[in-house]
Amino acid sequence: VGALGNDFITFTLAPSGTNLVQLSSSGRIQMVGSPNPARLVSGWKALEALVHMQAGALEFSQRLGAGDRKVVVATVNAKSGIQNAFQLTTSSNHVVIASDAAAMDAYLAAAARGVPVVPGLADAAVGAGGTQRGMFGYSQPQIELRATWETLRLSESLGAVMPPGTTSLEMVQTVESWANFKLLPPFETVAKYWTLQTISGGTDAGGFRFRWFSPKAP
């Protein structure tokens, strides 16, 4: 992360859960570069208090995360009760914004042990034009798809992996009339085809250009 620039960084955690809604709602971390992250957080809280002066305004509290890091917890008082909005902490050069407590704790744990090396990322980045064009991103389909693939393959029916009340029996029957997920092979047998995907963007004489690259499967 530190080698890719510090203006704006965003990443999504690997999906988890027992139904399709949970698996499609992965935790997210956003990092905004700042020479004074603590002051930016204070200003943000003051701005929120000024803008949201009516009912339902954000409320801020504090907790300790891994390594005794101070975490600001933003909640909103909705009709269904108090709900998480986002969580904040700071690093030396960033404000870190997490979608929820699990995402923030995952970030703090990763920050303590270092950023893992992604096999093949360096070569895939070159294929997309490198990491220094102004914008760079990558995705790991093997990690993103595995849980959803296996959940669908092993479920008794599509309705069994949907939360109660989120879909109709008619809708489930319509999907299952043309898609039999039980016929999917184990993900391990097709994992090699889901290679890294990289994207870069930058300006040249012709304007702003994007480049996508995905290496061939072995």
Side-chain angles (χ1 to χ4, degrees):
V1 171
L4 299 180
N6 64 0
D7 292 332
F8 186 80
I9 300 169
T10 180
F11 52 96
T12 303
L13 304 182
S16 62
T18 58
N19 62 61
L20 296 183
V21 172
Q22 293 171 337
L23 291 170
S24 63
S25 304
S26 302
R28 181 178 295 270
I29 300 288
Q30 295 177 319
M31 302 175 68
V32 181
S34 171
N36 195 327
R39 182 173 295 179
L40 180 56
V41 170
S42 297
W44 190 347
K45 291 168 63 177
L47 180 62
E48 288 286 357
L50 180 64
V51 172
H52 297 94
M53 297 182 68
Q54 304 301 319
L58 288 174
E59 297 183 359
F60 296 95
S61 58
Q62 185 170 288
R63 70 179 180 91
L64 290 179
D68 289 334
R69 293 277 293 275
K70 293 181 180 179
V71 176
V72 175
V73 180
T75 56
V76 63
N77 191 1
K79 291 182 178 180
S80 57
I82 296 176
Q83 298 180 355
N84 171 80
F86 54 84
Q87 301 202 356
L88 298 168
T89 191
T90 59
S91 66
S92 57
N93 297 305
H94 294 90
V95 173
V96 182
I97 309 150
S99 58
D100 50 46
M104 177 60 77
D105 291 341
Y107 164 79
L108 294 175
R113 64 174 180 264
V115 179
V117 175
V118 178
L121 179 59
D123 291 337
V126 172
T131 63
Q132 304 302 318
R133 298 183 64 220
M135 186 202 82
F136 176 76
Y138 73 94
S139 62
Q140 297 173 275
Q142 289 187 11
I143 294 177
E144 297 166 5
L145 294 174
R146 184 185 302 273
T148 301
W149 182 291
E150 287 298 298
T151 296
L152 286 170
R153 184 177 73 88
L154 298 174
S155 65
E156 296 181 2
S157 67
L158 184 60
V161 291
M162 294 297 296
T166 58
T167 188
S168 66
L169 178 60
E170 183 179 356
M171 183 182 298
V172 170
Q173 291 174 337
T174 299
V175 174
E176 292 183 331
S177 69
W178 56 263
N180 185 354
F181 297 108
K182 294 180 180 179
L183 297 179
L184 289 171
F187 188 78
E188 284 299 328
T189 64
V190 298
K192 67 178 183 179
Y193 300 108
W194 300 97
T195 61
L196 279 170
Q197 298 175 358
T198 52
I199 179 175
S200 71
T203 56
D204 57 24
F208 195 93
R209 299 181 185 274
F210 293 97
R211 296 180 183 176
W212 287 268
F213 178 78
S214 184
K216 292 182 179 180

